[in-house]
């Protein structure tokens, strides 16, 4: 108890660099002290009153609140401060914050997610310079670098609302994403549209008050490019009628089960020799390339089966995402 002021002063210095509005103190004390306290209580039949551990926590919290001007909170505090009197150590952890925003991708050949190092499988090795990932450009890497620097955070975990092909563009208002900022030092920030490397732009980003729900469905509009040997234009245009408000069945190899998604509309934009361009509006979870090609019959029905001709997605520009809208309710 005599060292409380000294310990509290050390805590104040340690937390000066953090942005926070609330905190909570936890304590670990020597088991011998607890045993002595229990012995004395039993010997003198003492009931009630504060324990030594709770008194240390209470007095330290009062000191910190007085000096910092911040409030003590037992429910989701910004800072968790653990005082280990046994090891004479102070551990500080910060509550995660969440950012939601959109990204645009103006350059083809850029992956959405970072690729694992083929040698170490994310464990870290000399080849990947102990990062666990390949050096190839990705949306994930650019957003992570920006947010880690902005919030001075240990890590950034991103949740995606669907994915696009490496050679696809993301246009207009972009595709939404959600990021968890792990162990941030800064908690407040103002966002402007941010241009990043490899043609990536982050837009409409904002800090959320609570952890968001990220398992909502979404609706997307894509412009699809593919090659087809069919000379019958009417047969190709039949795609519009066939897929009008049409449910498709998708087989997930990973989950080993079937599920259903809806295609709302297909609109033919251009037919030129073997090249076909169309707009498709559909629910998320449909692999556009497999919908076109019918690969492994994972999506039924598909363009290949409806036209009864081989349909091959354009290798350089299979599809571009025009918008993604999150569905609050399915």
């Amino acid at each position: 108890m005599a060292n409380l002021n000294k310990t509290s002063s050390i805590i104040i210095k340690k937390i000066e660099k953090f942005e926070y509005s609330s905190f909570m103190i936890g304590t670990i004390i020597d088991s011998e002290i607890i045993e002595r306290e229990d012995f004395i209580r039993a010997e003198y039949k003492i009931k009630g009153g504060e324990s030594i551990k709770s008194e240390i926590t209470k007095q330290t919290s009062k000191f910190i609140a007085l000096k910092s001007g911040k409030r003590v909170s037992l429910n989701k505090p910004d800072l968790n401060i653990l005082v280990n009197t046994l090891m004479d150590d102070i551990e500080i952890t910060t509550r995660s914050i969440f950012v939601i925003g959109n990204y645009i991708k103006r350059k083809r050949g850029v992956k959405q997610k970072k690729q694992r190092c083929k040698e170490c499988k994310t464990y870290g090795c000399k080849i990947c310079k102990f990062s666990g990932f390949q050096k190839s450009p990705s949306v994930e890497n650019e957003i992570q670098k920006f947010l880690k620097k902005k919030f001075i955070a240990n890590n950034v975990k991103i949740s995606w609302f669907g994915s696009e092909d490496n050679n696809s563009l993301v246009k207009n208002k972009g595709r939404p994403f959600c990021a968890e900022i792990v162990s941030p030092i800064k908690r407040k920030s103002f966002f402007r549209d941010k241009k990043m490397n490899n043609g990536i732009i982050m837009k409409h980003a904002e800090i959320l008050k609570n952890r968001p729900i990220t398992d909502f469905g979404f609706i997307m509009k894509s412009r699809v490019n593919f090659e087809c040997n069919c000379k019958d234009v009417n047969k190709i245009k039949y795609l519009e009628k066939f897929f009008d408000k049409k449910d498709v069945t998708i087989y997930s190899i990973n989950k080993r089960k079937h599920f259903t998604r809806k295609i709302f509309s297909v609109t033919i934009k251009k037919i030129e020799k073997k090249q076909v361009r169309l707009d498709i509006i559909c629910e998320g979870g449909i692999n556009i390339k497999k919908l076109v090609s019918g690969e492994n019959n994972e999506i039924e029905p598909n363009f290949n089966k409806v036209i009864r001709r081989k349909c091959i997605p354009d290798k350089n520009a299979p599809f571009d995402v025009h918008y993604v809208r999150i569905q609050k309710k399915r």
Side-chain angles (χ1 to χ4, degrees):
M1 296 297 289
N3 292 327
L4 275 185
N5 284 350
K6 180 182 176 182
T7 302
S8 299
S9 297
I10 293 171
I11 292 172
I12 288 292
K13 286 184 180 180
K14 278 182 172 284
I15 63 177
E16 279 178 352
K17 65 179 181 180
F18 293 96
E19 282 185 356
Y20 66 102
S21 58
S22 60
F23 68 93
M24 181 175 71
I25 301 286
T27 53
I28 298 173
I29 62 175
D30 193 335
S31 59
E32 288 186 8
I33 295 175
I34 296 174
E35 287 172 5
R36 286 182 208 164
E37 180 185 16
D38 290 341
F39 175 79
I40 292 170
R41 283 179 176 274
E43 184 73 16
Y44 294 97
K45 297 180 181 179
I46 300 170
K47 295 181 180 180
E50 295 281 358
S51 67
I52 291 175
K53 181 176 179 177
S54 62
E55 187 65 22
I56 289 173
T57 303
K58 184 178 178 181
Q59 294 304 321
T60 307
S61 298
K62 280 184 179 179
F63 186 95
I64 303 299
L66 183 65
K67 292 291 182 180
S68 66
K70 311 297 182 182
R71 63 185 176 85
V72 179
S73 175
L74 302 180
N75 182 31
K76 295 182 180 179
D78 294 338
L79 289 187
N80 276 291
I81 304 164
L82 182 62
V83 181
N84 190 331
T85 59
L86 179 61
M87 304 297 293
D88 196 22
D89 182 49
I90 297 166
E91 182 183 333
I92 299 168
T93 56
T94 61
R95 182 167 60 90
S96 292
I97 55 178
F98 297 89
V99 170
I100 194 164
N102 288 43
Y103 71 86
I104 290 172
K105 192 172 76 172
R106 291 180 171 174
K107 186 178 178 181
R108 300 191 189 279
V110 178
K111 298 177 175 66
Q112 183 192 55
K113 300 174 186 177
K114 293 191 297 187
Q115 300 298 297
R116 297 191 305 169
C117 174
K118 293 179 180 179
E119 286 293 321
C120 66
K121 310 295 184 186
T122 72
Y123 285 103
C125 65
K126 289 182 180 180
I127 293 174
C128 63
K129 294 184 178 179
F130 299 96
S131 67
F133 296 93
Q134 297 177 27
K135 287 184 178 179
S136 55
S138 67
V139 176
E140 183 177 21
N141 190 51
E142 293 300 323
I143 292 176
Q144 281 182 332
K145 282 195 301 184
F146 172 70
L147 293 177
K148 281 172 75 173
K149 185 176 179 181
K150 196 170 189 66
F151 292 97
I152 316 177
N154 286 346
N155 192 18
V156 173
K157 299 176 183 178
I158 299 179
S159 299
W160 306 99
F161 293 88
S163 61
E164 70 277 347
D165 188 83
N166 300 340
N167 288 325
S168 295
L169 301 180
V170 181
K171 299 181 176 182
N172 300 325
K173 293 183 180 180
R175 181 189 284 278
F177 71 91
C178 178
E180 179 183 358
I181 319 297
V182 182
S183 300
I185 288 178
K186 290 187 174 182
R187 304 190 71 82
K188 299 175 183 177
S189 187
F190 175 76
F191 288 99
R192 293 186 177 90
D193 291 356
K194 174 65 178 178
K195 290 184 179 180
M196 304 175 181
N197 297 327
N198 303 302
I200 298 162
I201 302 173
M202 193 174 82
K203 297 171 69 72
H204 312 302
E206 61 176 323
I207 298 173
L208 302 176
K209 291 182 179 179
N210 299 302
R211 180 187 290 269
I213 299 171
T214 56
D215 61 351
F216 286 133
F218 62 90
I219 295 172
M220 64 182 289
K221 178 181 179 180
S222 298
R223 179 152 290 178
V224 182
N225 303 298
F226 65 97
E227 185 179 296
C228 181
N229 253 333
C230 184
K231 295 180 181 179
D232 188 343
V233 173
N234 290 328
K235 197 170 243 185
I236 294 174
K237 286 189 174 181
Y238 178 64
L239 290 171
E240 292 182 326
K241 182 179 179 181
F242 185 87
F243 284 103
D244 182 39
K245 297 178 183 176
K246 182 75 173 179
D247 287 338
V248 294
T249 302
I250 301 165
Y251 178 69
S252 172
I253 295 174
N254 294 331
K255 296 181 180 179
R256 295 183 179 180
K257 69 175 185 178
H258 292 84
F259 59 93
T260 303
R261 290 290 183 269
K262 182 177 286 294
I263 295 176
F264 296 99
S265 68
V266 168
T267 307
I268 305 294
K269 305 301 289 187
K270 189 176 181 181
I271 302 173
E272 190 175 291
K273 294 182 180 179
K274 294 181 180 180
Q275 299 296 322
V276 181
R277 178 180 297 169
L278 56 81
D279 286 351
I280 180 170
I281 299 175
C282 61
E283 286 187 311
I286 299 174
N287 186 311
I288 301 296
K289 291 174 74 174
K290 291 181 179 179
L291 173 67
V292 171
S293 67
E295 181 185 337
N296 299 327
N297 292 318
E298 288 179 36
I299 300 179
E300 293 279 359
N302 54 67
F303 290 7
N304 195 23
K305 280 200 171 180
V306 172
I307 298 176
R308 295 183 182 178
R309 292 290 188 280
K310 192 173 184 179
C311 299
I312 304 170
D314 189 304
K315 290 182 180 179
N316 297 319
F319 66 93
D320 293 334
V321 179
H322 281 232
Y323 72 71
V324 175
R325 187 177 76 244
I326 299 170
Q327 292 175 285
K328 297 298 181 184
K329 290 182 180 179
R330 174 164 262 165

